[in-house]
């Protein structure tokens, strides 16, 4: 007799597998890193709250990021793909994990619209895919700010980094040309992750991944 699988349970199992892959290869991830690396009022950069996709998308984007890091001079990494929801979060690890778990339980998986590639001269925003800040992302950001009692300065600009470090313009142009196909792969929100993000990229550590557990069709409520 065939047993129908619970979609939430299936997603949780897939993300548990993804977590083991991430943990074994994670060097760090970016997005919203200016607050975490600009040297605030204390020396503890704390944690970052990330949006992550399912196992298939994680692997596709990670393979491309790893290829960039190993091919282009000045590229740092490799690192796992993600979209930072909130950076420089303070508190004990247990507290941050519990708040993130609670947020994930109140959020449904949602799609994200990949707009195109962008670049800056910043170390942690060298080259990235811009993401449309739609209602779902705006609500998720508000929920995170409320949960952790903080508001980051500046406008929230969600993005998925492809390269960190210091790349010349020719390298960036070559990467962007080759990355066009990634826009069709999709990177939908399937989980929230907590990462310890000190200044040195090699010391970054993923400490928890929580599947978005609310039935689809329900946007996160701030």
């Amino acid at each position: 007799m065939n047993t129908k699988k619970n979609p939430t349970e299936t997603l949780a199992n897939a993300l548990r597998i993804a977590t083991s892959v991430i943990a074994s290869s994670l060097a760090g991830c970016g997005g919203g890193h200016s607050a975490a690396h600009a040297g605030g009022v204390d020396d503890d950069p704390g944690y970052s709250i990330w949006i992550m996709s399912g196992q298939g998308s994680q692997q596709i984007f990670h393979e491309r990021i790893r290829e960039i890091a190993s091919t282009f001079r000045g590229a740092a990494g490799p690192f796992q793909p993600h979209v930072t929801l909130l950076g420089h979060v303070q508190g004990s690890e247990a507290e941050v994990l519990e708040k993130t778990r609670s947020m994930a339980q109140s959020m449904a998986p949602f799609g994200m619209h990949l707009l195109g590639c962008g670049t800056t001269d910043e170390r942690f925003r060298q080259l990235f895919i811009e993401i449309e800040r739609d209602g779902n992302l705006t609500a998720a950001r508000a929920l995170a700010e409320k949960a952790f009692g903080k508001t980051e300065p500046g406008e929230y600009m969600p993005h998925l980094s492809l390269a960190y470090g210091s790349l010349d313009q020719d390298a960036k142009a070559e990467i962007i040309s080759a990355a066009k196909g990634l826009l069709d792969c999709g990177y939908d929100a399937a989980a929230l992750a907590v990462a310890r993000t000190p200044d040195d990229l090699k010391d970054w550590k993923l400490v928890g991944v929580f599947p978005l557990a609310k039935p689809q069709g329900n946007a996160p409520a701030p």
Side-chain angles (χ1 to χ4, degrees):
M1 181 176 68
N2 293 328
T3 303
K4 188 176 180 180
K5 293 184 177 179
N6 184 297
T8 299
E9 181 180 355
T10 301
L11 175 60
N13 289 336
L15 283 165
R16 276 193 287 270
I17 297 172
T19 302
S20 65
V21 174
I22 293 165
S24 65
S25 59
L26 181 69
C29 290
H33 295 293
S34 57
H37 293 275
V41 295
D42 55 59
D43 294 329
D44 183 4
Y47 299 88
S48 292
I49 311 302
W50 297 340
I51 296 172
M52 300 186 78
S53 192
Q55 183 184 11
S57 293
Q58 287 296 129
Q59 290 182 336
I60 289 171
F61 280 86
H62 182 251
E63 286 173 6
R64 182 60 183 140
I65 290 168
R66 183 170 53 191
E67 180 184 348
I68 292 170
S70 63
T71 303
F72 292 91
R73 183 177 180 181
F79 53 89
Q80 279 289 333
H82 76 280
V83 177
T84 293
L85 184 60
L86 194 66
H88 208 186
V89 170
Q90 300 296 321
S92 69
E93 184 171 301
E95 178 186 11
V96 175
L97 287 170
E98 176 56 28
K99 288 182 178 181
T100 305
R101 182 196 63 78
S102 179
M103 286 171 52
Q105 288 184 334
S106 71
M107 294 171 62
F110 60 90
M112 292 189 287
H113 184 203
L114 308 184
L115 298 175
C117 291
T119 66
T120 73
D121 292 330
E122 298 175 25
R123 176 188 173 199
F124 287 100
R125 290 182 63 185
Q126 279 286 296
L127 195 154
F128 51 89
I129 295 175
E130 299 178 63
I131 297 177
E132 181 181 4
R133 192 184 64 181
D134 60 8
N136 284 323
L137 275 171
T138 298
R141 170 75 166 199
L143 182 65
E145 290 182 334
K146 181 177 179 180
F148 291 101
K150 64 163 296 182
T151 302
E152 290 190 321
E155 184 180 5
Y156 178 47
M157 299 177 63
H159 61 277
L160 175 62
S161 286
L162 297 178
Y164 295 157
S166 180
L167 294 163
D168 61 37
Q169 293 303 315
D170 288 342
K172 290 179 180 180
E174 184 176 344
I175 294 169
I176 289 173
S177 178
K180 291 178 180 178
L182 287 176
L183 300 178
D184 297 324
C185 293
Y187 192 85
D188 294 340
L192 294 183
V194 177
R196 182 71 174 167
T197 49
D199 189 64
D200 197 331
L201 185 64
K202 68 180 178 60
D203 293 330
W204 287 21
K205 180 182 179 183
L206 187 72
V207 296
V209 179
F210 304 96
L212 303 185
K214 195 171 184 178
Q216 287 188 334
N218 296 285

